[in-house]
Every structure is written in structure tokens, then in C-alpha cells.
Amino acid sequence: MRLGDKPSHPPELPEGIVTFLLTDIEGSTPLWETHTAAMGPALARHEVIVAAVVASHRGQLIKARGEGDSTLSVFVRATDAVAAALALQQALAAEPWADDIALPTRVALHSGEAELRGGDYYGQTLNRAARLRALAQGGHILLSQGTAELVTDRLPPGTSLADVGNQRLRGLSRPEHVFALVHPDLGPPPQFRAPSAGPSAAAFVGRDAELNRLDAALEAVLAGTAVGGLVALVAGEAGIGKSALVRRFTERHSADARFLFGACDPLLTPRALGPLHDIARQTGGRLAELLASAGPREAVFAAFLDQLASPSQQVVVVEDAHWADEATLDLLVFLGRRLEQTKVLLIVTYRDDELGADHPLHAVIGSLPQEVVRRLRLRPLSEVAVAELARRAGRPATGLRALTGGNSLLVTEVLAADEPGVPATVRDLTLARLRGLPAAAQQVVRLVSVIPTGAELWLLKQALHPEPSSVEACLAAGLLVAEESAVGFRHELLRQAVEGSLSPLARQQLHRQVLRVLSKAKERRVDIARLAHHARQADDTDAVLRYAPEAARQAAAVAAHREAVGHYRAVLPYVERLAPPVQADLLEAYSVEAYLSGLSSEAVSARKAAVDLREAADDSEKLGEGLRWLSRLHWWDGNRQQAEATAARAIAVLEPLPPGHQLAMAYSNQAQLDMLAYRTEAAMGWAGRAIELARRLDDQETLTHALTNIGSARLQSGDPGGRVELEQAFQVAVGAGLEDHAARALICLSTIAAEVRDYRHARPELDRALAFVQAHELAGYIQHVLGCRARVRLDLGDWAGAEQDARAALAEPVQGGAMVVDALVPLGLLQARRGDPDAAATLQEATERAFATELQWIGPVAAARAEHAWLQGEEGRVAEEAAGPFELAVRAGHPWFAGELAFWLRLVGTPRPVPVEVAEPYRLLLAGDWRAAADAWQELGCPYQRALALACGDQDKALREAVRLLDRLGARQAVQRLRDRRRRLLAPADDGPLDA
């Protein structure tokens, strides 16, 4: 049987929801012209590969060669289809095609209802999949929104999805929200121009599922697959986006149907049949005449039904039915029971949160024939949708969803506001609702506004003694919502609007009122953080000193370090009212929490103040402990000179005392400073002294700290046995409940592996470290690990993932220190290689933030700046950037930093003697063996570095291969640099375009 023929007994094809995988070879027609002999065998081999990959992933190949050279396969599970698509592109890329031919294959995946007739598939789902394939480019895998939603949490390892926006598909009225699969073996995500759309397109985000359901309802009516007409009930709170959804739906289908709009209004006495009057102004005719002459209701309804029976396709929209008058409600019942006689889609929007149990709209909805009803309840926008709106507005997304509750209107207003805080439009809307309430109900709203957590009913009762009707009025107005035993604001932004309207004196008085009730409720076990909050807002100094320090300790105990810092900050204005030893204790605890939160400058200031108090009290042991901590904090803040000085002073203060825990930690702290400066022998000596003392004292903290230093020093020097000490250090720390030390062990284990290009260990260990530090809210460490992972992903060719990690690291709320350099370097390299003009500023910031004498940051920054200079054609600057740091790397004996900087110096004709052993790929390059160096980089899995090695050769074929690699990565600036190099190497007559 020839491949592509249908078997005599074909397997049963799946029905219901399936995923189609379609392929096509881009540019096959010119390939036939240029490679006539090779194309036939190549296409046959292409079909064999597709068939094998599809079968191995539980799919069925339906057409091996459909139109042209396309294929069609079907899968029951979308995850199998995605895995198959990736495997297919990898197999095609790895195939040794004859005659240097390449078959750039585009792949599209779309999920939907299968229409199976006579052993073959038909219908809209397949048609949409084919149109999506036409949008793709060779080497890409595109997914429709439906497929993306099915697989987003179960993607193949190493892959992610890039959102490439809503795209028009040829011949289809409804655009498709398209995603591209991202993987190092695939090309960069395609860049499409956004389709032209109406004015609401820019702000319409996060409602694709609801929009698709409206589309499906209209398609069913138009295609005649529904029994008759349908009614779509679109429900949700005020501002959630019901009207925006309908407007967007109208924009998409204005060419498919006639839209008739009517709205109900919040009048004290609503217009009878108000929506029908709106519609009659659009239709004119008999309906308008009857309404103008106050004709009988039965005649009006009949005329409207006649209007809907016209041959043209129609959509009727009735907005805000929660305000409908009695006659309009009757009209909805009348239409609902007769929709099967029409080909009409009736859309009714209403606020379901404002319908009391006795609201008549409930009865109307209940009377509608359920077979014609489609319910759409709009939920708040997701974090992803809110972040996308913020990105489009050029505003930060942090905290935006929590502030607005995902309410579309509130999100839009906050993003449109020029100033921070509550937008004027939201404030006016909220206060207008507040003014419409009785005085007693207003009092309830104002009290609840100063309680961010919501007010328990017992608290409300003891503070105000309100009548139940007052609380009910607040709920009916939509300002407050009720839970089982508390009331609170529907959205945080509304609470802030009311709270912000209070005078300072009124606000303070309400906080005192709440604090008085909470502080007396001993049996309620009120969270001390709430007491501290209301004490601060009430300006009650005694209460702040009573509650805030304990609230900080409790927050720290559950790894809520930033919350602990907030409580300690509240005490600082009054700290001098405490006894000096108590002050010192509080400042020391504050410095630790600031350090764990990534607030290095704040941590240094607090610890300095504590050290001064300990020195004034002549408490040598506490002073030594404080100096050791201050050494660590100075280093974290980027001041090695002060770190070294205070480390030495700590040892000098503690050594005259009986040997104890603080002296052991001071020894280990000095070992850490030496290890970080690549002074391996000194680090091992100090760590050995620390471990000897720790074992004598059964001191688990010092033991884990010193083991981390020894393991790190060994791993840095190329001894893989260091991993054993680091794992042991982690286990000791976890067993003793020392989260900071456990995190440090994991971070050294992972980041040193990344530094020495041990990618086999680096990637999984970085993931492990990140999970740990995120679980324990260690912000400074989170930034460090994300930045290091960004560099690993960049090296391994996952540029989309690298950019994602780098930007996530930069978004961490960290102040001070050089950990940010870990993210700035890969981001700057990415920008430089792509030709992004922001690269210079990014790398300049990295230079300014790097330590003056810390090679772990100086080396990568210098190499990145040298590469940027080379990419820009500024070869003189390459040597300037690399020379000084190269000498530092040689003195430290660092094989990777020394090798990389020596490579850049040699590349621009300023080679330096290399008296230390350098890493293998660079040793080969410095020896002139570019082929072996390229192979070494390939073995490590580094495509960009492999391309640079190939570019060092003098063969046109190697340059072509280098450009292909760089082109797939999206390294536009590097490609241009190599094209320029090739033009210089080739004779003028042979100076043609370089294939990519």
C-alpha cells in the first residue's frame, strides 16, 4: 500500500472534541525549481517522518499528502498533538537532507468539535485549522486559543507558549487568538502585525472564551443547526465588561447580521418598554407607528415578532435588564417562548449581584425554555489578563488585580489615571452610591472602609449596633458584600475610595473605635497584625509598641519577611522609648528581616545602630555577633572593603572570649568572604576551624554554614566532590530549621554549576533552589536565582525563557546589592545580539551595580560589554572592556572567565598570554582549532557559542552554518556582523547573499 492510500480497514476515527495537526512545506515551489531531482525523494522521506512521529504520539495520519505537500493528522488529546508537533520539527531539523536541501515545515494545531462524515473530516474546526496553518512560517508551531488553553499547564519539558496576538485568518470573519510554541530547537516566535479592529480592540482582553460562546450561538442560528433562535444571558457585576463584550461581538459580526439595540435605564420611574422604543427608532415601520400611537401591547409585541421574522439575520440586544420595567420583562417572556419561530439571537445583559431574591427578573429567566438559553456569567479578569492590559498601557501590573478584583472598568480606570491612588471617576461613582444611602447605612460603610480585612458581624455589632436594615441597604447598593459571618467591600478600590473621603480626624477616630473593640475581644483570638494595623492608624503609640514587635516576630516565624519589616518600621519612630537592650534586640531582628527581604541598605543601617548600642553597653559577645552580621550585610550591599574590615574586627572581639557559637560563625563568615573571592586555600582553612569548633559545641548553624563554604570552594576549583558537602549542608540546615542557610547551600550548588557551565546539573538545581526560596519568600535570593537561570537558558538557546526569567528577576522588590547584575547581563546580551538599542543602557546599569572587586559579577559584565562592542563593530573598545577583568580572572585562576575574556581579546587582534588553564572550548579557540571548539560547544548544548566558534573559521560553509544557527535564535545583530565578515572574505564576483 502506498503511503497516503487509505487502508482497506481504516482505524476508527475519533469524534467529539479532537485536535487537528496540519503541516505544510513553506516555499516548496521554488525548491522544486532549484532542486528538481532531490525534491521527490525528500518529500517521500518527509512523509515517512510525519507518519512515524504521529503514530508514536497516539495520533492518526489522515492525509499523508493532501493539497500540495500538506498533511493532516488527528489526536484525541491536545497534549499528544503538541508533543508530536515538537518531535516532528526536531526530527526534520536533524534529518541529513540530500543536496543540502531544507524543507521548512509550518505546523498548526487547533482543537474543536470534529465533523466526521464518510470517513473524513469536514466543517469549521478543520477549516479554521487550515487557515491557521497558512499563517505559520517554516519551523514554527502555531496553536489556536482553544488548543493553548488545553495544554498550557502540561507542555512538553523545556517549552513555553508565546502570545502572538489576535490574527485575522483568511476567509474567516472571526479572528483567532494565536500562540507559538517556544523551544530552543524552534525558531523565535513569529512577529505578526496586529489585525485592524474597532476602537475597543486594544482594551478587550481576557474574554475570548465568552466571546467564542457568543460566536457559537450566532453561528448555530445562522447555520440552522439550532432549533430556532437562541437567547444568551450575559450576567455579571457592574463594570465587569458585559457591555464591552457585546460591543466586541458586534464589531466582529456587523457584516453577518443586523444588530438592534435597546437599553433599560435606572430611572425612578422606568420608561415602559424603553428598550423597544430604542429598537423602533432603528427599524421604523409598523413597530415605530404602534409605539408612537400608544397602541395595544399585544399589537406592539406582534409587530416586533413580525420584524424579527424578516429574511435578514438579526441580533437583538437588551442591556441592563436588572432595571427593566414590568412591560419589558413581559416582552422578554413573550420573545423567549417564540424564539423557535425565528432565526434571531437575543442577548440580555444584567447585573446578577444586584438581583434580590424577590427581583422579578428571576421569574422571567426561569420561564424561558431552557433548550434555547445560553448562560454566560462574566468572571473577574485573570491575573494574566490584567497584566496584559497593564503591559499595553505601559504601567506596572503588580497588585493591580488585588486592587480592582479583576473588574474590567476598575482596571481600565486605574490604568488611565495620571496619578496613583483612586481614579477620580471611581471615587465619584463610589461616593455617589454612598450618598444615596440612609445616614445609618453610610455609617456602616465608613466603618467597614477602615477595616481592610472586612468586618466580622460581632465587630460591627459592638462598634456601631446597626439595625439589620442598614446593613441590607449597603449590600443592595453593591458597595458591600456579605459572607457567612462578615461584610466587606466588593473591591479594594471601592474601599480605598470611601476611606480616602474621610477626614484625618474621622479616620483616626474610626480606627480607635475598631481597636478598642478588637483589643477587648480576648476570647476571639484576634490576629495581632490587625491590632498593630489599627494601633498605627489610630496613632496610639503605646498600642504600637505593644503589638507591632510581636506582630513582626510572628510574621518572621512563618517566613513573611516583608510583612515583618513593615511591622518593625512602624516601631522605629518610637524605638528610643525602649530600654537600650530592647532597642538593640529589635534593631537586630529588623536587620535580619530586611536582609531576607532583599533590602540590604536598610539592613545595614539597622545593624549599625544595634552595634553602636552593644558597644556602648560593653557587651563583647553581642558586639562580636553584630559585627559578624554587619560583615555579611556589607557584602550583600556591595561593600567588600567594609565587609572584610568588620569580619576581621568580629574575630578580634570574639577570640579573647571563651570559644563559642559566635566565634565559630565569625570564622565561617571569613571563610565565606575568601570563597567568594576565589581564595580557595584561605577559605578551606577558616572553614576548617569553624567546623572543628562547631562539632565540639554541637553547633548546627555553624556546621551548615561552613560546609557550604567548603563545598562551594571545592566546586569552584573543579572538584565535583564539593557537591557532597553542599548537599550535607542543606540537610543539616533543613533539620535545624535554618531557612537562610538551607537556601544558601542550594544556591551555591546551582549557581556555581551555572558559572562553570555544568548545565547538566545547573538547570535542575536552579529550579530546585528557586522553588525553595520562593516558598520561603526570600526576595534577594529569588532575584539571584532567576538571573542565573536566565543566563543558563540564554546559553542553551532558550532565549524567550531567558528574557522571561531576567525580567521577572528585575521585577523583584529588591533594593541595593549586586544580585540584580545576574539578570542584567543576560538581558543585555539578548538585547545586544538582537540589535536592540536598549542593550547599551542595560549593560551600563550592570557595570554600575557590579561589585568593585567581585569577579563573579565583573567577569560576566566585562565579557558582555566586550561582545556588545564587537557586535557594534567597535573593535577598539572590545580590548578596553576585556583587558582589566582578564587580569583579575587570571589571578583568580578562573578557567571560564579567563578563557572568555582571552577569546574576545584574541578576536580583535590583541591576544594576551594565558598563564592559567582555561575551559576546553576556549582553549581550543585560542589554539586556533575552531572546528573542535564548535563541536565542544555543541556537546554542551550552546548554539550561539557554537556559531561564534564556526565564525572564527575561514570557510564559507562554516560561516553559512553559523548564520543559520544565529538566524534561528533571532540574533539579528550577530547575523549582520557575520554577513559583513563574509563579504570581506569573498571575492567581489562571488559576493552573493548569505543563506540563512
Side-chain angles (χ1 to χ4, degrees):
M1 182 181 69
R2 185 178 65 82
L3 185 64
D5 290 344
K6 290 188 177 180
S8 55
H9 299 288
E12 185 174 342
L13 295 177
E15 298 185 66
I17 301 297
V18 302
T19 297
F20 289 118
L21 185 156
L22 285 79
T23 74
D24 185 30
I25 298 173
E26 185 180 34
S28 59
T29 300
L31 284 174
W32 275 107
E33 295 177 359
T34 57
H35 298 78
T36 306
M39 272 298 282
L43 277 182
R45 178 60 184 158
H46 183 275
E47 293 169 10
V48 169
I49 293 172
V50 173
V53 169
V54 169
S56 67
H57 288 82
R58 295 177 289 278
Q60 293 186 48
L61 181 63
I62 308 302
K63 295 178 181 177
R65 192 181 296 185
E67 179 184 351
D69 40 51
S70 63
T71 73
L72 166 63
S73 303
V74 64
F75 294 79
V76 174
R77 293 170 51 185
T79 50
D80 289 338
V82 173
L86 176 61
L88 175 59
Q89 293 286 28
Q90 291 170 324
L92 292 173
E95 180 70 16
W97 302 101
D99 197 20
D100 199 27
I101 197 172
L103 300 180
T105 302
R106 45 193 177 195
V107 179
L109 301 166
H110 178 52
S111 305
E113 188 80 25
E115 189 175 334
L116 185 62
R117 298 197 307 268
D120 209 347
Y121 289 107
Y122 300 88
Q124 284 300 315
T125 299
L126 183 57
N127 189 34
R128 184 164 285 272
R131 297 297 183 266
L132 181 62
R133 178 185 59 191
L135 189 69
Q137 301 166 13
H140 288 146
I141 299 171
L142 297 187
L143 291 75
S144 67
Q145 162 113 20
T147 304
E149 289 178 348
L150 291 172
V151 302
T152 186
D153 296 324
R154 294 177 294 169
L155 289 168
T159 64
S160 59
L161 292 178
D163 186 341
V164 294
N166 283 309
Q167 303 299 327
R168 287 282 179 190
L169 303 182
R170 184 171 54 85
L172 299 180
S173 62
R174 176 166 59 89
E176 180 64 54
H177 195 168
V178 180
F179 295 81
L181 194 69
V182 177
H183 186 273
D185 293 338
L186 303 175
Q191 300 292 322
F192 296 122
R193 184 165 34 162
S196 60
S200 67
F204 190 83
V205 171
R207 295 295 183 212
D208 291 310
E210 293 89 345
L211 194 57
N212 290 342
R213 290 189 62 193
L214 282 179
D215 288 340
L218 181 59
E219 287 177 11
V221 171
L222 297 181
T225 57
V227 174
L230 295 173
V231 56
L233 301 175
V234 182
E237 64 181 75
I240 200 66
K242 301 180 295 297
S243 296
L245 175 68
V246 172
R247 282 197 303 273
R248 178 69 172 189
F249 177 70
T250 305
E251 291 167 3
R252 284 167 66 145
H253 295 288
S254 58
D256 303 326
R258 182 187 188 189
F259 283 77
L260 302 174
F261 289 92
C264 306
D265 298 307
L267 306 176
L268 294 177
T269 304
R271 293 183 302 163
L273 293 175
L276 203 53
H277 282 274
D278 295 338
I279 291 170
R281 279 192 288 273
Q282 301 168 63
T283 64
R286 175 71 172 159
L287 177 62
E289 293 172 4
L290 285 169
L291 285 170
S293 62
R297 192 172 72 169
E298 292 77 8
V300 171
F301 285 9
F304 187 37
L305 196 60
D306 290 341
Q307 171 67 41
L308 300 183
S310 67
S312 62
Q313 308 292 347
Q314 297 177 89
V315 177
V316 177
V317 179
V318 176
E319 291 220 66
D320 296 324
H322 51 282
W323 288 324
D325 63 285
E326 186 176 355
T328 298
L329 294 175
D330 289 343
L331 174 64
L332 293 177
V333 174
F334 175 85
L335 289 178
R337 291 177 176 174
R338 292 163 178 79
L339 275 177
E340 62 182 17
Q341 304 172 22
T342 71
K343 293 295 182 182
V344 170
L345 176 63
L346 170 63
I347 300 175
V348 180
T349 72
Y350 63 97
R351 298 179 186 174
D352 57 349
D353 63 318
E354 295 184 21
L355 300 184
D358 56 350
H359 197 290
L361 186 57
H362 286 303
V364 171
I365 293 172
S367 70
L368 297 174
Q370 293 306 298
E371 63 272 15
V372 303
V373 173
R374 303 292 184 268
R375 296 176 184 267
L376 286 78
R377 188 178 193 283
L378 270 60
R379 304 290 180 184
L381 294 174
S382 66
E383 287 278 6
V384 172
V386 172
E388 173 60 17
L389 287 171
R391 184 191 66 79
R392 295 183 184 188
R395 304 285 290 274
T398 305
L400 183 56
R401 190 181 188 282
L403 180 66
T404 61
N407 181 281
S408 302
L409 175 64
L410 299 184
V411 172
T412 302
E413 292 296 337
V414 171
L415 292 176
D418 295 328
E419 299 293 334
V422 182
T425 50
V426 176
R427 182 179 62 248
D428 294 344
L429 174 67
T430 305
L431 297 183
R433 287 195 184 187
L434 179 63
R435 285 191 293 271
L437 293 175
Q442 291 186 35
Q443 196 175 12
V444 170
V445 172
R446 292 190 177 100
L447 180 77
V448 177
S449 77
V450 303
I451 310 175
T453 57
E456 296 90 339
L457 297 181
W458 62 264
L459 170 59
L460 198 59
K461 182 177 180 180
Q462 293 183 36
L464 284 181
H465 305 286
E467 293 294 330
S469 59
S470 298
V471 178
E472 292 293 338
C474 301
L475 302 177
L479 285 171
L480 301 184
V481 291
E483 297 179 0
E484 185 176 346
S485 57
V487 293
F489 278 80
R490 179 176 299 282
H491 303 299
E492 171 63 10
L493 199 61
L494 306 186
R495 186 195 69 78
Q496 291 183 14
V498 175
E499 185 185 34
S501 71
L502 301 172
S503 70
L505 189 61
R507 189 182 308 121
Q508 188 179 92
Q509 184 57 40
L510 287 170
H511 278 289
R512 287 180 178 173
Q513 202 171 343
V514 173
L515 178 63
R516 186 165 52 250
V517 174
L518 292 178
S519 62
K520 292 179 180 179
K522 307 295 185 184
E523 74 286 355
R524 300 280 183 179
R525 295 188 177 182
V526 176
D527 186 343
I528 198 165
R530 291 182 67 186
L531 293 166
H533 169 79
H534 291 293
R536 292 169 63 183
Q537 297 297 326
D539 197 23
D540 187 332
T541 302
D542 291 337
V544 169
L545 291 172
R546 185 182 316 121
Y547 298 126
E550 181 57 28
R553 284 188 284 271
Q554 290 188 15
V558 294
H561 303 296
R562 285 203 169 261
E563 288 73 14
V565 168
H567 291 306
Y568 282 126
R569 285 172 177 166
V571 183
L572 288 183
Y574 318 112
V575 72
E576 292 184 359
R577 293 183 52 176
L578 302 173
V582 179
Q583 285 186 50
D585 287 343
L586 186 141
L587 289 166
E588 287 166 351
Y590 171 33
S591 76
V592 172
E593 294 307 307
Y595 154 69
L596 294 175
S597 299
L599 307 172
S600 57
S601 299
E602 205 167 327
V604 168
S605 297
R607 184 61 69 164
K608 277 183 175 179
V611 163
D612 290 343
L613 288 168
R614 297 302 188 190
E615 192 162 22
D618 198 22
D619 188 338
S620 296
E621 184 174 8
K622 291 286 189 181
L623 174 61
E625 178 187 12
L627 289 168
R628 188 262 303 171
W629 258 109
L630 190 55
S631 171
R632 170 65 172 164
L633 299 176
H634 274 312
W635 183 89
W636 193 268
D637 195 38
N639 191 335
R640 171 168 277 274
Q641 184 176 1
Q642 286 298 318
E644 296 270 16
T646 48
R649 189 179 170 210
I651 293 173
V653 167
L654 291 167
E655 279 191 326
L657 304 178
H661 165 70
Q662 298 305 337
L663 179 61
M665 281 298 294
Y667 287 157
S668 191
N669 178 68
Q670 183 60 58
Q672 182 179 8
L673 288 172
D674 288 328
M675 176 271 292
L676 291 167
Y678 303 97
R679 300 190 293 251
T680 302
E681 187 175 344
M684 299 289 278
W686 284 110
R689 295 173 70 176
I691 288 177
E692 180 184 357
L693 188 52
R695 295 196 189 281
R696 194 191 323 161
L697 299 170
D698 192 23
D699 179 356
Q700 298 301 293
E701 183 179 9
T702 300
L703 180 61
T704 181
H705 194 271
L707 283 171
T708 297
N709 296 329
I710 287 179
S712 299
R714 290 180 63 187
L715 208 55
Q716 284 175 340
S717 61
D719 181 357
R723 300 181 60 81
V724 176
E725 277 98 354
L726 287 166
E727 286 288 359
Q728 184 183 353
F730 175 70
Q731 296 301 330
V732 171
V734 169
L738 302 168
E739 64 177 25
D740 178 42
H741 297 299
R744 199 170 72 89
L746 289 182
I747 285 167
C748 290
L749 192 62
S750 58
T751 58
I752 293 173
E755 186 177 294
V756 300
R757 310 298 202 275
D758 179 8
Y759 300 115
R760 183 170 66 89
H761 289 108
R763 183 57 195 272
E765 292 295 355
L766 285 166
D767 291 345
R768 177 188 178 195
L770 184 61
F772 185 88
V773 297
Q774 285 178 332
H776 292 83
E777 297 187 18
L778 303 174
Y781 285 140
I782 292 171
Q783 184 180 70
H784 184 35
V785 178
L786 278 171
C788 290
R789 194 173 74 172
R791 181 57 190 266
V792 168
R793 296 177 84 167
L794 180 72
D795 288 350
L796 295 180
D798 179 11
W799 286 17
E803 182 171 10
Q804 179 181 350
D805 275 352
R807 294 198 182 280
L810 296 175
E812 282 295 315
V814 174
Q815 299 172 14
M819 299 297 177
V820 68
V821 175
D822 297 306
L824 289 170
V825 167
L827 181 60
L829 282 172
L830 194 61
Q831 292 169 335
R833 293 168 184 177
R834 289 173 170 170
D836 187 331
D838 290 339
T842 303
L843 293 175
Q844 179 59 33
E845 184 181 356
T847 304
E848 293 168 359
R849 297 294 295 271
F851 285 8
T853 56
E854 293 296 332
L855 181 61
Q856 66 171 301
W857 288 291
I858 289 176
V861 169
R865 289 176 65 89
E867 180 180 336
H868 180 237
W870 176 78
L871 288 168
Q872 296 297 313
E874 302 173 20
E875 297 195 352
R877 190 163 65 85
V878 173
E880 293 176 11
E881 298 289 358
F886 168 72
E887 299 299 333
L888 287 176
V890 167
R891 285 199 295 272
H894 199 295
W896 287 96
F897 294 162
E900 185 173 12
L901 293 165
F903 162 70
W904 287 115
L905 290 167
R906 182 183 185 279
L907 191 66
V908 295
T910 57
R912 302 293 175 89
V914 186
V916 296
E917 183 178 347
V918 299
E920 181 71 0
Y922 291 118
R923 183 188 67 78
L924 293 167
L925 276 172
L926 295 174
D929 192 350
W930 56 269
R931 293 184 187 85
D935 291 342
W937 283 119
Q938 184 171 24
E939 186 174 348
L940 285 172
C942 301
Y944 183 84
Q945 284 78 7
R946 170 174 165 76
L948 289 188
L950 290 170
C952 290
D954 55 1
Q955 295 182 4
D956 187 43
K957 184 177 180 180
L959 273 176
R960 287 173 178 272
E961 176 61 20
V963 170
R964 286 193 185 95
L965 287 169
L966 296 174
D967 221 6
R968 291 190 66 180
L969 290 169
R972 293 181 292 275
Q973 188 66 27
V975 167
Q976 184 58 49
R977 192 77 166 87
L978 295 197
R979 288 185 189 277
D980 294 342
R981 171 175 164 76
R982 179 173 180 260
R983 278 193 288 271
R984 290 195 301 270
L985 289 175
L986 293 176
D990 191 28
D991 190 9
L994 189 60
D995 293 341

